[in-house]
Amino acid sequence: MERRRLLHAGAGLVVASVAGPMVAPSVAHAGTADTTGAPVVPDTASRPGTAGTTGHCSGPAVSTYGIATFTAAIVGMTVLGDHAYVVARGQNPPLLGEIDLASKKLTRTVRLPRGEGGWAATVSGGQVYVGTYPTPDIYRFDPATGSVTLIGTVGPAGGFVWCLTTAPDGTVYAGTYPRGEVWEYSPATGVLRNLGVARPGEQYVRAIAADDRFVYAGTLPLGHIVAYDRATGAKQSITPEPYGGAACLLARGGRVIGGFGRSVIDLAPDGSDARVIPIPATERLVDAITTTADGTVYCIGRPTGTVYRRDGDALVPVAAPTPADEHRGLFPLPDGTLLGGAGSGRLWWLDLGGGGSDIVELIDTAMSGPDPVQSMTYGMRGTVHVGGHFSITTHRPEDGSSRRIQVAGEPKQLRMAGNKVYAALYPSTEVVELDPDRGRVRSLGFVDNDQQRPTDMVYSRLTDQLLLATAPPAGRLKGALTLVDRSRKRLTVYQDVIADQSVMSLALDDRPGRRIAYLAGDTWGGGSVTPARPSATIVAFDLWRRKVLWEFAPIEGYASLQHIEVHDGVLYGLYKRLAGTWFAMDLDSLTVLRSGKLPSYGELSVHRGEVYASVFGGLVYRIGPDLAEPEQVLTGLGDGWYNPPQLAWERASWHAWAVSGRELARLRLDPDCPPPATNRAAVSPPDEAVLESLLAN
């Protein structure tokens, strides 16, 4: 039985130091958000000794202050004639936008029936096709009539249509997750059929292309190219060896060309004559690839956002119209310009001859809408900072104002230290510092070291450091702990600090003289890989000696911890698998004192001696200390979180900031106040398959 392992100092750790470059200040769309409810002055209510009084517990338990964060982030993109079509992400139901390429203006928006977005788009026969998530639907949009038709659903709840392409005869092909299948739709006959799994063990068909004879599926995480014979359905891998996860793919001029891992791959349709072109060292992958009429190949790298032109077996930089942005598509236009779509919601037109570019910000158009919240922290002078797709919004509820600052990714974690806000970004693993008063952003560096997803971050006043937990990409197991020295802009990375597990959460020992951080693991790593260990574990990490002291599995056989907190020598934990299982464990004896089950998972917090759990489904519970059963505090907060729900506490009151629906909300969570009567209804847990897919992708 795997319960506890004593590890030698430094054993099993890969340590790296990363110094971060300075970046130019980033200032983006700023405005005043609409607010509802009377403004409040934070930190003035509910001092100790006033809880439970009639006046204090009267009034609403939830007060809202307008949309928490706006987005115009896009995922799917395609071009039909003189219009581009983009699909928003995070807006429910998804929003399809039409942009006139000549005037560079948004001319129409259309709502699709259901979903959170659509990564896949293509055109056939004058129609636009879109593939959505987290229900993997394929829709057809008719620009002439404005009608939307459901073609079919090509997988289970929680699935994605990751990519779409069109063969020369107009047949449409789709690649899916989590089954890793290729689907075919014939507009001529109306028949939708499943061509089967591309490669056993590969959950993603992440890129797809087609020619007269074959449809080519690029898989992830390993990166095979599987060719399906369009006439017979027979398939075979044409990849001499896996090149790393697929990102983009095209079939042109008798060649199959795509971005795989850290290379551009160019090979014949049978897999012969393979050429492997390394991407520049500054890039992690190729987001999009295209060819012009003369056969010249252009691609765009991540994270720099640089457009490259292929010259023999080299990639030559051309321009970076929107630096440090992800990209969804590249399209050569008849006038000789190159059209690009950035994930943050920016379209650009690049003059390939002169290098100049024009940019349109979709956040300033009707594509803008409420964004599910990534992260939140409570700041100085009553400010509330909210992470959204490619942005951090600073709210000042007292006067109803807000300011939106663009950042190069999803702020999975936000924390205050001093008067600065620190954000850990996905998928780049960059750590940035925001001065909210000046709107200035500077980079502290990148975690790198085969990491991708920030999962938790805490600030240690004792060492004046940020501690960051991360998970690796799909197909990998080894997460990391990173110590961020904010004054020296230095990141020290401890990879595989919990052997063969992601690091999902961090908590500091709150007892005097204890310089220990506790780390919680996930045996699933980055997903799409077989776990190497039977149980998620917790390790104690000595912050001074920089070594693991012990490792322990609180509940045998449970694969994934989601979040932990420490209060008065007791560690509280919440599992993702099995979802909602919680426990309280004595840190001296490593004895589980209590355990139970909540309807779902989320994040824990300790405030004024009480332990709270905010979980998916719009629910808040109090689980400690010394409670035999969890106490429900609030329900009915909705599904406004993209990541596990958080509570951003006011330091001197029983109020915390969160979201209600997609509005910024101030919650009264005083343990002496009875729960609102309207919040005592039966609770339906959320669809775990949908949560799993959204958080994994």
Side-chain angles (χ1 to χ4, degrees):
M1 291 178 60
E2 185 179 49
R3 293 293 288 180
R4 182 177 181 180
R5 293 193 304 155
L6 294 176
L7 303 182
H8 296 294
L13 303 185
V14 178
V15 184
S17 293
V18 184
M22 201 67 175
V23 298
S26 173
V27 179
H29 179 77
T32 300
D34 293 333
T35 60
T36 59
V40 299
V41 180
D43 279 353
T44 59
S46 189
R47 297 288 188 262
T50 67
T53 65
T54 302
H56 172 65
C57 292
S58 63
V62 179
S63 300
T64 57
Y65 296 83
I67 299 302
T69 177
F70 284 91
T71 184
I74 61 172
V75 272
M77 181 179 180
T78 192
V79 170
L80 175 59
D82 55 3
H83 289 88
Y85 294 87
V86 296
V87 187
R89 72 180 302 180
Q91 299 193 43
N92 188 344
L95 188 65
L96 175 67
E98 177 187 80
I99 296 96
D100 183 279
L101 293 175
S103 66
K104 300 180 174 63
K105 293 184 181 297
L106 180 72
T107 53
R108 174 167 48 175
T109 61
V110 179
R111 289 286 180 186
L112 303 179
R114 63 179 180 178
E116 294 277 346
W119 276 93
T122 192
V123 298
S124 177
Q127 311 284 292
V128 178
Y129 291 82
V130 175
T132 64
Y133 67 90
T135 302
D137 294 333
I138 299 175
Y139 293 99
R140 181 177 62 225
F141 170 68
D142 186 340
T145 65
S147 63
V148 175
T149 303
L150 173 64
I151 300 301
T153 302
V154 294
F160 280 55
V161 180
W162 265 115
C163 48
L164 288 170
T165 195
T166 304
D169 65 358
T171 303
V172 174
Y173 291 93
T176 71
Y177 163 92
R179 294 175 178 172
E181 296 169 337
V182 171
W183 288 70
E184 176 190 81
Y185 174 68
S186 170
T189 66
V191 174
L192 176 68
R193 65 178 182 135
N194 186 355
L195 301 185
V197 173
R199 183 83 178 181
E202 296 280 85
Q203 286 190 287
Y204 297 77
V205 172
R206 186 61 180 83
I208 199 163
D211 57 24
D212 287 321
R213 184 175 176 188
F214 295 102
V215 56
Y216 306 92
T219 69
L220 190 147
L222 294 182
H224 292 271
I225 302 174
V226 179
Y228 292 72
D229 189 302
R230 295 180 55 211
T232 68
K235 64 178 183 260
Q236 64 173 343
S237 174
I238 62 169
T239 317
E241 59 180 295
Y243 294 112
C248 52
L249 194 63
L250 59 84
R252 297 284 191 279
R255 304 290 292 182
V256 181
I257 308 170
F260 286 75
R262 300 183 72 95
S263 304
V264 170
I265 310 300
D266 178 357
L267 67 171
D270 63 358
S272 64
D273 190 27
R275 303 170 193 174
V276 180
I277 305 167
I279 64 176
T282 53
E283 308 290 4
R284 290 182 179 83
L285 57 89
V286 171
D287 266 336
I289 196 165
T290 192
T291 58
T292 54
D294 64 1
T296 303
V297 173
Y298 289 88
C299 64
I300 191 160
R302 186 195 295 183
T304 72
T306 301
V307 176
Y308 297 92
R309 181 186 68 251
R310 180 181 176 184
D311 186 358
D313 285 343
L315 297 177
V316 179
V318 176
T322 56
D325 212 333
E326 301 176 16
H327 280 79
R328 308 307 184 210
L330 287 177
F331 301 89
L333 300 179
D335 64 0
T337 60
L338 191 65
L339 173 69
S344 63
R346 292 187 278 182
L347 301 184
W348 50 259
W349 286 254
L350 174 64
D351 180 349
L352 291 173
S357 60
D358 294 327
I359 298 174
V360 170
E361 295 274 7
L362 294 177
I363 193 70
D364 297 322
T365 74
M367 288 297 291
S368 177
D371 196 7
V373 170
Q374 300 273 345
S375 52
M376 188 178 294
T377 192
Y378 185 73
M380 304 288 288
R381 299 182 298 278
T383 55
V384 184
H385 308 282
V386 180
H389 283 98
F390 303 95
S391 71
I392 299 171
T393 300
T394 295
H395 293 272
R396 291 176 171 80
E398 187 175 81
D399 62 17
S401 67
S402 66
R403 184 182 194 184
R404 183 180 187 271
I405 304 296
Q406 188 161 310
V407 293
E410 300 173 15
K412 293 296 185 186
Q413 297 294 321
L414 290 179
R415 290 293 180 270
M416 288 294 303
N419 61 351
K420 301 294 194 301
V421 180
Y422 294 87
L425 305 182
Y426 167 88
S428 68
T429 71
E430 185 179 17
V431 180
V432 298
E433 177 189 81
L434 168 65
D435 183 332
D437 293 329
R438 299 181 179 182
R440 294 180 180 175
V441 177
R442 72 164 183 160
S443 177
L444 301 186
F446 295 81
V447 175
D448 289 332
N449 287 275
D450 204 25
Q451 301 300 294
Q452 185 179 65
R453 187 179 300 272
T455 53
D456 198 8
M457 184 162 62
V458 299
Y459 172 61
S460 169
R461 290 182 177 83
L462 188 65
T463 62
D464 191 29
Q465 290 179 320
L466 294 159
L467 281 66
L468 175 61
T470 53
R476 314 282 207 280
L477 289 172
K478 301 179 188 303
L481 165 68
T482 299
L483 305 183
V484 182
D485 186 326
R486 61 195 187 104
S487 61
R488 298 196 307 172
K489 291 177 54 185
R490 180 166 295 277
L491 279 62
T492 304
V493 183
Y494 295 84
Q495 190 182 15
D496 206 29
V497 63
I498 312 178
D500 293 323
Q501 296 181 60
S502 296
V503 183
M504 291 299 293
S505 185
L506 305 157
L508 298 173
D509 200 313
D510 62 346
R511 293 170 292 180
R514 306 292 181 104
R515 299 179 176 89
I516 297 173
Y518 300 97
L519 319 179
D522 181 355
T523 64
W524 283 40
S528 299
V529 62
T530 302
R533 301 182 62 183
S535 307
T537 58
I538 290 170
V539 304
F541 185 86
D542 188 311
L543 291 172
W544 287 119
R545 292 181 288 170
R546 305 289 178 89
K547 71 173 186 177
V548 172
L549 303 177
W550 52 256
E551 183 173 8
F552 184 75
I555 303 179
E556 289 285 359
Y558 283 23
S560 307
L561 283 153
Q562 180 59 50
H563 205 252
I564 57 173
E565 283 288 354
V566 171
H567 173 56
D568 197 22
V570 176
L571 185 145
Y572 294 82
L574 185 60
Y575 280 92
K576 179 178 179 180
R577 301 178 183 92
L578 296 169
T581 299
W582 68 274
F583 64 90
M585 182 179 77
D586 179 78
L587 283 170
D588 288 331
S589 65
L590 299 185
T591 301
V592 174
L593 307 173
R594 294 176 298 283
S595 63
K597 188 78 164 58
L598 299 176
S600 188
Y601 61 94
E603 290 203 1
L604 305 177
S605 58
V606 177
H607 184 66
R608 306 177 97 190
E610 303 292 333
V611 184
Y612 289 82
S614 180
V615 302
F616 282 114
L619 310 168
V620 180
Y621 290 86
R622 191 165 67 94
I623 64 170
D626 303 323
L627 289 178
E629 296 290 338
E631 292 182 356
Q632 189 180 100
V633 181
L634 278 179
T635 69
L637 296 176
D639 60 352
W641 286 95
Y642 187 93
N643 294 318
Q646 304 171 6
L647 296 173
W649 288 95
E650 296 177 4
R651 284 171 282 280
S653 84
W654 285 112
H655 288 84
W657 292 84
V659 288
S660 179
R662 297 198 177 181
E663 290 190 282
L664 182 66
R666 188 173 187 246
L667 314 181
R668 187 189 68 220
L669 301 175
D670 191 322
D672 288 342
C673 292
T678 55
N679 282 283
R680 292 176 178 170
V683 175
S684 298
D687 188 321
E688 295 296 338
V690 171
L691 290 182
E692 180 76 39
S693 70
L694 290 174
L695 290 172
N697 293 289

mmCIF file of all heavy atoms in Angstrom, residues 172-192:
data_model
loop_
_atom_site.group_PDB
_atom_site.id
_atom_site.type_symbol
_atom_site.label_atom_id
_atom_site.label_comp_id
_atom_site.label_asym_id
_atom_site.label_seq_id
_atom_site.Cartn_x
_atom_site.Cartn_y
_atom_site.Cartn_z
ATOM 1 N N VAL A 172 -17.035 17.566 -46.211
ATOM 2 C CA VAL A 172 -16.540 18.174 -44.983
ATOM 3 C C VAL A 172 -16.071 17.076 -44.029
ATOM 4 O O VAL A 172 -16.769 16.067 -43.843
ATOM 5 C CB VAL A 172 -17.634 19.034 -44.321
ATOM 6 C CG1 VAL A 172 -17.173 19.564 -42.966
ATOM 7 C CG2 VAL A 172 -18.021 20.187 -45.238
ATOM 8 N N TYR A 173 -14.910 17.287 -43.415
ATOM 9 C CA TYR A 173 -14.358 16.326 -42.462
ATOM 10 C C TYR A 173 -14.109 17.010 -41.122
ATOM 11 O O TYR A 173 -13.733 18.186 -41.071
ATOM 12 C CB TYR A 173 -13.055 15.724 -42.988
ATOM 13 C CG TYR A 173 -13.276 14.826 -44.183
ATOM 14 C CD1 TYR A 173 -13.174 15.337 -45.477
ATOM 15 C CD2 TYR A 173 -13.614 13.490 -44.024
ATOM 16 C CE1 TYR A 173 -13.392 14.521 -46.584
ATOM 17 C CE2 TYR A 173 -13.839 12.665 -45.118
ATOM 18 C CZ TYR A 173 -13.729 13.192 -46.401
ATOM 19 O OH TYR A 173 -13.965 12.386 -47.486
ATOM 20 N N ALA A 174 -14.318 16.238 -40.043
ATOM 21 C CA ALA A 174 -14.176 16.755 -38.683
ATOM 22 C C ALA A 174 -13.283 15.845 -37.861
ATOM 23 O O ALA A 174 -13.316 14.618 -38.010
ATOM 24 C CB ALA A 174 -15.544 16.859 -38.010
ATOM 25 N N GLY A 175 -12.492 16.452 -36.965
ATOM 26 C CA GLY A 175 -11.697 15.710 -35.988
ATOM 27 C C GLY A 175 -12.199 16.009 -34.592
ATOM 28 O O GLY A 175 -12.552 17.163 -34.290
ATOM 29 N N THR A 176 -12.232 14.991 -33.709
ATOM 30 C CA THR A 176 -12.912 15.139 -32.424
ATOM 31 C C THR A 176 -12.031 14.750 -31.238
ATOM 32 O O THR A 176 -10.993 14.108 -31.373
ATOM 33 C CB THR A 176 -14.192 14.285 -32.375
ATOM 34 O OG1 THR A 176 -13.835 12.901 -32.298
ATOM 35 C CG2 THR A 176 -15.074 14.531 -33.583
ATOM 36 N N TYR A 177 -12.522 15.166 -30.066
ATOM 37 C CA TYR A 177 -12.021 14.777 -28.741
ATOM 38 C C TYR A 177 -13.263 14.404 -27.928
ATOM 39 O O TYR A 177 -14.318 15.028 -28.111
ATOM 40 C CB TYR A 177 -11.288 15.953 -28.095
ATOM 41 C CG TYR A 177 -11.094 15.825 -26.597
ATOM 42 C CD1 TYR A 177 -9.951 15.252 -26.069
ATOM 43 C CD2 TYR A 177 -12.073 16.271 -25.709
ATOM 44 C CE1 TYR A 177 -9.784 15.142 -24.695
ATOM 45 C CE2 TYR A 177 -11.911 16.153 -24.338
ATOM 46 C CZ TYR A 177 -10.776 15.590 -23.836
ATOM 47 O OH TYR A 177 -10.618 15.469 -22.481
ATOM 48 N N PRO A 178 -13.264 13.424 -27.030
ATOM 49 C CA PRO A 178 -12.130 12.642 -26.524
ATOM 50 C C PRO A 178 -11.921 11.301 -27.219
ATOM 51 O O PRO A 178 -11.026 10.552 -26.842
ATOM 52 C CB PRO A 178 -12.526 12.409 -25.063
ATOM 53 C CG PRO A 178 -14.012 12.262 -25.112
ATOM 54 C CD PRO A 178 -14.483 13.202 -26.202
ATOM 55 N N ARG A 179 -12.744 11.002 -28.235
ATOM 56 C CA ARG A 179 -12.626 9.690 -28.868
ATOM 57 C C ARG A 179 -11.577 9.654 -29.968
ATOM 58 O O ARG A 179 -11.244 8.576 -30.463
ATOM 59 C CB ARG A 179 -13.983 9.268 -29.417
ATOM 60 C CG ARG A 179 -15.033 9.015 -28.337
ATOM 61 C CD ARG A 179 -16.379 8.709 -28.950
ATOM 62 N NE ARG A 179 -17.391 8.409 -27.932
ATOM 63 C CZ ARG A 179 -18.686 8.264 -28.178
ATOM 64 N NH1 ARG A 179 -19.132 8.400 -29.430
ATOM 65 N NH2 ARG A 179 -19.538 7.995 -27.210
ATOM 66 N N GLY A 180 -11.076 10.815 -30.363
ATOM 67 C CA GLY A 180 -10.041 10.847 -31.385
ATOM 68 C C GLY A 180 -10.508 10.310 -32.720
ATOM 69 O O GLY A 180 -9.771 9.587 -33.407
ATOM 70 N N GLU A 181 -11.732 10.693 -33.130
ATOM 71 C CA GLU A 181 -12.338 10.154 -34.348
ATOM 72 C C GLU A 181 -12.302 11.164 -35.489
ATOM 73 O O GLU A 181 -12.177 12.377 -35.281
ATOM 74 C CB GLU A 181 -13.798 9.767 -34.081
ATOM 75 C CG GLU A 181 -13.946 8.640 -33.071
ATOM 76 C CD GLU A 181 -15.387 8.447 -32.620
ATOM 77 O OE1 GLU A 181 -16.188 9.403 -32.725
ATOM 78 O OE2 GLU A 181 -15.711 7.338 -32.161
ATOM 79 N N VAL A 182 -12.480 10.627 -36.711
ATOM 80 C CA VAL A 182 -12.699 11.438 -37.901
ATOM 81 C C VAL A 182 -14.108 11.161 -38.415
ATOM 82 O O VAL A 182 -14.522 10.002 -38.536
ATOM 83 C CB VAL A 182 -11.660 11.139 -38.998
ATOM 84 C CG1 VAL A 182 -12.021 11.834 -40.306
ATOM 85 C CG2 VAL A 182 -10.269 11.559 -38.541
ATOM 86 N N TRP A 183 -14.841 12.249 -38.683
ATOM 87 C CA TRP A 183 -16.197 12.156 -39.215
ATOM 88 C C TRP A 183 -16.258 12.802 -40.588
ATOM 89 O O TRP A 183 -15.511 13.751 -40.872
ATOM 90 C CB TRP A 183 -17.195 12.848 -38.284
ATOM 91 C CG TRP A 183 -17.450 12.096 -37.006
ATOM 92 C CD1 TRP A 183 -16.587 11.927 -35.974
ATOM 93 C CD2 TRP A 183 -18.648 11.410 -36.640
ATOM 94 N NE1 TRP A 183 -17.158 11.180 -34.970
ATOM 95 C CE2 TRP A 183 -18.439 10.854 -35.354
ATOM 96 C CE3 TRP A 183 -19.889 11.227 -37.257
ATOM 97 C CZ2 TRP A 183 -19.408 10.123 -34.690
ATOM 98 C CZ3 TRP A 183 -20.862 10.502 -36.597
ATOM 99 C CH2 TRP A 183 -20.625 9.950 -35.329
ATOM 100 N N GLU A 184 -17.174 12.291 -41.413
ATOM 101 C CA GLU A 184 -17.343 12.787 -42.781
ATOM 102 C C GLU A 184 -18.787 13.215 -43.007
ATOM 103 O O GLU A 184 -19.724 12.502 -42.632
ATOM 104 C CB GLU A 184 -16.980 11.677 -43.781
ATOM 105 C CG GLU A 184 -17.200 12.042 -45.235
ATOM 106 C CD GLU A 184 -17.057 10.836 -46.142
ATOM 107 O OE1 GLU A 184 -18.035 10.056 -46.258
ATOM 108 O OE2 GLU A 184 -15.964 10.662 -46.722
ATOM 109 N N TYR A 185 -18.961 14.400 -43.607
ATOM 110 C CA TYR A 185 -20.302 14.865 -43.968
ATOM 111 C C TYR A 185 -20.313 15.241 -45.442
ATOM 112 O O TYR A 185 -19.475 16.030 -45.908
ATOM 113 C CB TYR A 185 -20.721 16.079 -43.142
ATOM 114 C CG TYR A 185 -22.039 16.662 -43.600
ATOM 115 C CD1 TYR A 185 -23.226 15.954 -43.424
ATOM 116 C CD2 TYR A 185 -22.086 17.892 -44.252
ATOM 117 C CE1 TYR A 185 -24.429 16.475 -43.866
ATOM 118 C CE2 TYR A 185 -23.289 18.418 -44.690
ATOM 119 C CZ TYR A 185 -24.460 17.703 -44.499
ATOM 120 O OH TYR A 185 -25.657 18.204 -44.954
ATOM 121 N N SER A 186 -21.261 14.666 -46.175
ATOM 122 C CA SER A 186 -21.426 14.974 -47.590
ATOM 123 C C SER A 186 -22.575 15.957 -47.758
ATOM 124 O O SER A 186 -23.739 15.577 -47.573
ATOM 125 C CB SER A 186 -21.716 13.702 -48.399
ATOM 126 O OG SER A 186 -22.097 14.036 -49.720
ATOM 127 N N PRO A 187 -22.318 17.213 -48.109
ATOM 128 C CA PRO A 187 -23.422 18.151 -48.363
ATOM 129 C C PRO A 187 -24.317 17.699 -49.508
ATOM 130 O O PRO A 187 -25.507 18.030 -49.532
ATOM 131 C CB PRO A 187 -22.692 19.451 -48.698
ATOM 132 C CG PRO A 187 -21.354 19.339 -48.047
ATOM 133 C CD PRO A 187 -21.003 17.890 -48.169
ATOM 134 N N ALA A 188 -23.749 16.932 -50.449
ATOM 135 C CA ALA A 188 -24.542 16.495 -51.602
ATOM 136 C C ALA A 188 -25.606 15.482 -51.213
ATOM 137 O O ALA A 188 -26.742 15.521 -51.709
ATOM 138 C CB ALA A 188 -23.614 15.909 -52.665
ATOM 139 N N THR A 189 -25.273 14.561 -50.295
ATOM 140 C CA THR A 189 -26.215 13.503 -49.906
ATOM 141 C C THR A 189 -26.840 13.726 -48.538
ATOM 142 O O THR A 189 -27.839 13.087 -48.211
ATOM 143 C CB THR A 189 -25.505 12.144 -49.900
ATOM 144 O OG1 THR A 189 -24.503 12.144 -48.868
ATOM 145 C CG2 THR A 189 -24.853 11.863 -51.252
ATOM 146 N N GLY A 190 -26.225 14.602 -47.726
ATOM 147 C CA GLY A 190 -26.719 14.819 -46.368
ATOM 148 C C GLY A 190 -26.322 13.733 -45.398
ATOM 149 O O GLY A 190 -26.828 13.687 -44.269
ATOM 150 N N VAL A 191 -25.398 12.840 -45.783
ATOM 151 C CA VAL A 191 -24.994 11.710 -44.937
ATOM 152 C C VAL A 191 -23.809 12.114 -44.060
ATOM 153 O O VAL A 191 -22.797 12.626 -44.549
ATOM 154 C CB VAL A 191 -24.622 10.489 -45.798
ATOM 155 C CG1 VAL A 191 -24.069 9.366 -44.913
ATOM 156 C CG2 VAL A 191 -25.833 10.003 -46.577
ATOM 157 N N LEU A 192 -23.951 11.859 -42.768
ATOM 158 C CA LEU A 192 -22.889 12.064 -41.780
ATOM 159 C C LEU A 192 -22.460 10.699 -41.282
ATOM 160 O O LEU A 192 -23.290 9.923 -40.803
ATOM 161 C CB LEU A 192 -23.408 12.919 -40.622
ATOM 162 C CG LEU A 192 -22.468 13.165 -39.443
ATOM 163 C CD1 LEU A 192 -21.289 14.037 -39.864
ATOM 164 C CD2 LEU A 192 -23.226 13.808 -38.284
#
